[in-house]
Amino acid sequence: IEVKGTYTGPGVYYLPQWKFGLDTNDVPKVAVRQYTTGASWQSVAGVLSVTGRDGRSGTVSAILQVSNGTAVVPGPTLSVNGPWSCP
């Protein structure tokens, strides 16, 4: 799981559709790589909350779709809900 984007500290960040790929800090975004296939799923909607003072923990409620590397591929969605933290 990867959490990336332009965050300014604790707060609620809405997860819009991505403008650019994962390596670009343009909008708040969440991505999951499927271990068995290597497929990348990217957030298309949802909310990411940052609750830790250091900005390294919070909760996420997101809807993801498979990505071909530059855009989402129409099809099934994946929901991710729960706490997150960075070591």
Side-chain angles (χ1 to χ4, degrees):
I1 297 177
E2 182 148 357
V3 175
K4 201 147 186 133
T6 52
Y7 305 103
T8 57
V12 174
Y13 299 90
Y14 293 95
L15 301 169
Q17 290 195 11
W18 298 14
K19 295 179 182 179
F20 303 103
L22 188 59
D23 294 330
T24 303
N25 283 336
D26 56 339
V27 297
K29 52 183 82 170
V30 174
V32 174
R33 180 164 311 274
Q34 191 170 345
Y35 179 76
T36 56
T37 65
S40 179
W41 294 71
Q42 69 182 51
S43 55
V44 294
V47 177
L48 176 81
S49 69
V50 178
T51 56
R53 287 185 180 205
D54 62 359
R56 299 177 64 85
S57 62
T59 60
V60 63
S61 179
I63 298 171
L64 297 91
Q65 282 187 285
V66 172
S67 170
N68 65 10
T70 56
V72 294
V73 176
T77 61
L78 173 70
S79 296
V80 177
N81 295 292
W84 67 271
S85 66
C86 297

